[in-house]
Amino acid sequence: MTAMQTTQTWSLEAVAELYEQPLLDLVFRAAQVHRANNDPREVQLCTLASIKTGKCPEDCAYCPQSAHFESPVEAQKLMQVEPVLEAARAARDSGATRFCMGAAWREVTDGRAFERVLDMVKGVRDLGMEACCTLGMLTEDQARRLKEAGLTAYNHNLDTSEEFYPAIITTRTYQDRLNTIRNVARAGISVCCGGILGLGEEQADRIKLLHTLANLSPQPESVPINALVPVEGTPLAENARVDTFDWVRAIAVARILMPQAKVRLSAGRLEIPAEAQALAFLAGANSIFTGEKLLTTANPELDFDRQLLDQLGLYSRRVGEPAKETCGHAAPSGGICTAEAHAAPALA
Ligand code: SAM
Ligand code: DTB
Ligand code: SF4
């Protein structure tokens, strides 16, 4: 079974029931699901590049790149191919295996800019890395061209529940988002789709978001969980930081609902204590963004992340390095157990 297959249809009630469990019961169950499906010691490192920054026509209330608000972000036109590939090479040398290119566009427009992005994708793939793009809305034909260029994954988040969405973004609809996700999947590109916590949503909105993500068909291969980074000038600048236990809760539920997806700790990690991040890894997170910047906001230093992974006995794999056949834990028999041996008994 691959991560692309939807394993089961989840009812909203079942997702709510999972979400509302006592936190440590939930984390324990998520850890079991994680160990049954993935090497629990491996964490994928991804690096982001903002290839076109600012002046975005969309009005996403959290985003410092929206042209609707005055934020400290300095706008930058679409980068040339070579500096983007230099950044990708540097990311690969620092241990990243996935390079994600983000553009502050409402949608992709056919023409020279798109051709340049296709060249970036080819270049990143030639470095042996996974290439991911997040460029706004896409047609089916544009998705097909990205696929031909070698694109591994396309990031397009649902961000929150369908009901809460219009309180955050008015320039596009939830259905627009779903249409692009469908176009990406039809082109055979992996879907990277997640959300943000801390927008002012209720727990019920988080449950609905997780429910929608889990029932996408195919399920997302990658689920970024962002914690709002409040940025000066945006309407959400004064929002309180998300409670870290709530953040862990969402990660654990994502892991249970989407057992084989990469659950990525995305924006907001700089303000989240190392101990809470450790709990997130236990609950099934298995990827982080590394590098001192996300798109426009700060991220932990690479040395901090390396030390954190070392302290927790986690590792990342470099480009070309094969998956470890064992998870490295001592088995009760005295040998080294295989990841399969971690498989939890079937869950009721
Ligand atoms: N323009 C494209 C789009 O919206 O799909 C791609 C770039 S956009 C910056 C990618 C994602 O970053 C958003 O969907 C949102 O989840 C996240 N994001 C943006 N600003 C954020 C912030 N201040 N804090 C946390 N996450 C943020
Ligand atoms: C995602 O969900 N998070 C990443 C990636 N996908 C593109 C972006 C986070 C951006 C945080 C705000 C900023 O740095 O501008
Ligand atoms: Fe534009 Fe994406 Fe920012 Fe929304 S999140 S304003 S679409 S860059």
Side-chain angles (χ1 to χ4, degrees), residues 197-201 206 227-230 236-243:
L197 308 180
L199 301 174
E201 72 283 356
R206 296 178 187 166
L228 176 73
V229 179
L236 305 186
E238 301 304 322
N239 275 27
R241 297 271 176 177
V242 67
D243 179 274

mmCIF file of all heavy atoms in Angstrom, residues 197-201 206 227-230 236-243:
data_model
loop_
_atom_site.group_PDB
_atom_site.id
_atom_site.type_symbol
_atom_site.label_atom_id
_atom_site.label_comp_id
_atom_site.label_asym_id
_atom_site.label_seq_id
_atom_site.Cartn_x
_atom_site.Cartn_y
_atom_site.Cartn_z
ATOM 1 N N LEU A 197 -2.484 26.645 12.395
ATOM 2 C CA LEU A 197 -3.171 26.766 13.682
ATOM 3 C C LEU A 197 -2.866 28.157 14.227
ATOM 4 O O LEU A 197 -1.757 28.675 14.035
ATOM 5 C CB LEU A 197 -2.649 25.722 14.672
ATOM 6 C CG LEU A 197 -2.629 24.270 14.186
ATOM 7 C CD1 LEU A 197 -2.092 23.357 15.288
ATOM 8 C CD2 LEU A 197 -4.014 23.816 13.747
ATOM 9 N N GLY A 198 -3.867 28.739 14.910
ATOM 10 C CA GLY A 198 -3.618 30.034 15.541
ATOM 11 C C GLY A 198 -4.214 31.198 14.788
ATOM 12 O O GLY A 198 -3.867 32.355 15.044
ATOM 13 N N LEU A 199 -5.129 30.903 13.848
ATOM 14 C CA LEU A 199 -5.755 31.977 13.070
ATOM 15 C C LEU A 199 -6.913 32.614 13.830
ATOM 16 O O LEU A 199 -7.497 33.582 13.360
ATOM 17 C CB LEU A 199 -6.289 31.416 11.743
ATOM 18 C CG LEU A 199 -5.272 30.752 10.815
ATOM 19 C CD1 LEU A 199 -5.973 30.128 9.608
ATOM 20 C CD2 LEU A 199 -4.234 31.777 10.340
ATOM 21 N N GLY A 200 -7.260 31.988 14.988
ATOM 22 C CA GLY A 200 -8.437 32.436 15.729
ATOM 23 C C GLY A 200 -9.563 31.435 15.578
ATOM 24 O O GLY A 200 -10.705 31.698 15.967
ATOM 25 N N GLU A 201 -9.218 30.283 15.013
ATOM 26 C CA GLU A 201 -10.226 29.236 14.788
ATOM 27 C C GLU A 201 -10.559 28.504 16.089
ATOM 28 O O GLU A 201 -9.792 28.541 17.047
ATOM 29 C CB GLU A 201 -9.702 28.224 13.733
ATOM 30 C CG GLU A 201 -8.589 27.282 14.195
ATOM 31 C CD GLU A 201 -7.200 27.912 14.263
ATOM 32 O OE1 GLU A 201 -7.046 29.081 13.880
ATOM 33 O OE2 GLU A 201 -6.268 27.235 14.734
ATOM 34 N N ARG A 206 -10.397 22.960 13.608
ATOM 35 C CA ARG A 206 -9.210 22.100 13.438
ATOM 36 C C ARG A 206 -9.654 20.677 13.123
ATOM 37 O O ARG A 206 -9.066 19.991 12.284
ATOM 38 C CB ARG A 206 -8.345 22.129 14.701
ATOM 39 C CG ARG A 206 -7.786 23.518 14.938
ATOM 40 C CD ARG A 206 -6.970 23.615 16.208
ATOM 41 N NE ARG A 206 -6.612 25.021 16.429
ATOM 42 C CZ ARG A 206 -6.137 25.500 17.554
ATOM 43 N NH1 ARG A 206 -5.940 24.708 18.578
ATOM 44 N NH2 ARG A 206 -5.835 26.775 17.665
ATOM 45 N N ALA A 227 2.209 26.755 12.555
ATOM 46 C CA ALA A 227 1.680 27.544 13.680
ATOM 47 C C ALA A 227 1.832 28.994 13.241
ATOM 48 O O ALA A 227 2.908 29.383 12.752
ATOM 49 C CB ALA A 227 2.503 27.275 14.936
ATOM 50 N N LEU A 228 0.773 29.760 13.383
ATOM 51 C CA LEU A 228 0.820 31.144 12.888
ATOM 52 C C LEU A 228 2.047 31.884 13.421
ATOM 53 O O LEU A 228 2.314 31.886 14.627
ATOM 54 C CB LEU A 228 -0.437 31.920 13.309
ATOM 55 C CG LEU A 228 -0.408 33.403 12.895
ATOM 56 C CD1 LEU A 228 -0.619 33.566 11.398
ATOM 57 C CD2 LEU A 228 -1.433 34.216 13.667
ATOM 58 N N VAL A 229 2.775 32.516 12.509
ATOM 59 C CA VAL A 229 3.820 33.460 12.898
ATOM 60 C C VAL A 229 3.178 34.834 12.702
ATOM 61 O O VAL A 229 2.969 35.262 11.570
ATOM 62 C CB VAL A 229 5.057 33.321 11.972
ATOM 63 C CG1 VAL A 229 6.132 34.323 12.348
ATOM 64 C CG2 VAL A 229 5.593 31.903 11.987
ATOM 65 N N PRO A 230 2.798 35.493 13.809
ATOM 66 C CA PRO A 230 2.117 36.780 13.628
ATOM 67 C C PRO A 230 3.102 37.825 13.101
ATOM 68 O O PRO A 230 4.185 37.978 13.659
ATOM 69 C CB PRO A 230 1.634 37.135 15.043
ATOM 70 C CG PRO A 230 1.965 35.957 15.916
ATOM 71 C CD PRO A 230 3.003 35.149 15.217
ATOM 72 N N LEU A 236 -3.662 39.651 11.529
ATOM 73 C CA LEU A 236 -3.511 38.700 12.639
ATOM 74 C C LEU A 236 -2.270 38.972 13.485
ATOM 75 O O LEU A 236 -1.865 38.130 14.305
ATOM 76 C CB LEU A 236 -3.495 37.257 12.114
ATOM 77 C CG LEU A 236 -4.694 36.841 11.240
ATOM 78 C CD1 LEU A 236 -4.622 35.354 10.903
ATOM 79 C CD2 LEU A 236 -6.029 37.149 11.929
ATOM 80 N N ALA A 237 -1.696 40.162 13.310
ATOM 81 C CA ALA A 237 -0.432 40.487 13.996
ATOM 82 C C ALA A 237 -0.519 40.339 15.507
ATOM 83 O O ALA A 237 0.473 40.006 16.158
ATOM 84 C CB ALA A 237 -0.001 41.903 13.626
ATOM 85 N N GLU A 238 -1.703 40.576 16.071
ATOM 86 C CA GLU A 238 -1.825 40.545 17.538
ATOM 87 C C GLU A 238 -2.335 39.201 18.057
ATOM 88 O O GLU A 238 -2.582 39.056 19.254
ATOM 89 C CB GLU A 238 -2.764 41.662 18.021
ATOM 90 C CG GLU A 238 -2.335 43.080 17.634
ATOM 91 C CD GLU A 238 -0.927 43.425 18.094
ATOM 92 O OE1 GLU A 238 -0.552 42.999 19.210
ATOM 93 O OE2 GLU A 238 -0.199 44.088 17.324
ATOM 94 N N ASN A 239 -2.523 38.248 17.177
ATOM 95 C CA ASN A 239 -3.025 36.936 17.641
ATOM 96 C C ASN A 239 -2.074 36.305 18.654
ATOM 97 O O ASN A 239 -0.850 36.450 18.528
ATOM 98 C CB ASN A 239 -3.151 35.958 16.465
ATOM 99 C CG ASN A 239 -4.464 36.101 15.738
ATOM 100 O OD1 ASN A 239 -5.054 37.170 15.754
ATOM 101 N ND2 ASN A 239 -4.916 35.042 15.111
ATOM 102 N N ALA A 240 -2.676 35.591 19.613
ATOM 103 C CA ALA A 240 -1.833 34.866 20.580
ATOM 104 C C ALA A 240 -1.196 33.681 19.866
ATOM 105 O O ALA A 240 -1.763 33.144 18.901
ATOM 106 C CB ALA A 240 -2.713 34.367 21.718
ATOM 107 N N ARG A 241 -0.014 33.285 20.323
ATOM 108 C CA ARG A 241 0.648 32.088 19.786
ATOM 109 C C ARG A 241 -0.191 30.872 20.113
ATOM 110 O O ARG A 241 -0.812 30.804 21.180
ATOM 111 C CB ARG A 241 2.035 31.910 20.425
ATOM 112 C CG ARG A 241 2.970 33.034 20.116
ATOM 113 C CD ARG A 241 3.717 32.750 18.833
ATOM 114 N NE ARG A 241 4.561 33.877 18.482
ATOM 115 C CZ ARG A 241 5.372 33.878 17.431
ATOM 116 N NH1 ARG A 241 5.428 32.835 16.630
ATOM 117 N NH2 ARG A 241 6.111 34.916 17.164
ATOM 118 N N VAL A 242 -0.203 29.898 19.236
ATOM 119 C CA VAL A 242 -0.998 28.692 19.477
ATOM 120 C C VAL A 242 -0.419 27.930 20.682
ATOM 121 O O VAL A 242 0.800 27.916 20.888
ATOM 122 C CB VAL A 242 -1.050 27.821 18.195
ATOM 123 C CG1 VAL A 242 0.302 27.236 17.832
ATOM 124 C CG2 VAL A 242 -2.070 26.719 18.326
ATOM 125 N N ASP A 243 -1.307 27.342 21.457
ATOM 126 C CA ASP A 243 -0.894 26.530 22.597
ATOM 127 C C ASP A 243 -0.116 25.318 22.066
ATOM 128 O O ASP A 243 -0.586 24.634 21.146
ATOM 129 C CB ASP A 243 -2.182 26.079 23.321
ATOM 130 C CG ASP A 243 -1.885 25.207 24.506
ATOM 131 O OD1 ASP A 243 -1.745 23.977 24.330
ATOM 132 O OD2 ASP A 243 -1.777 25.767 25.605
#
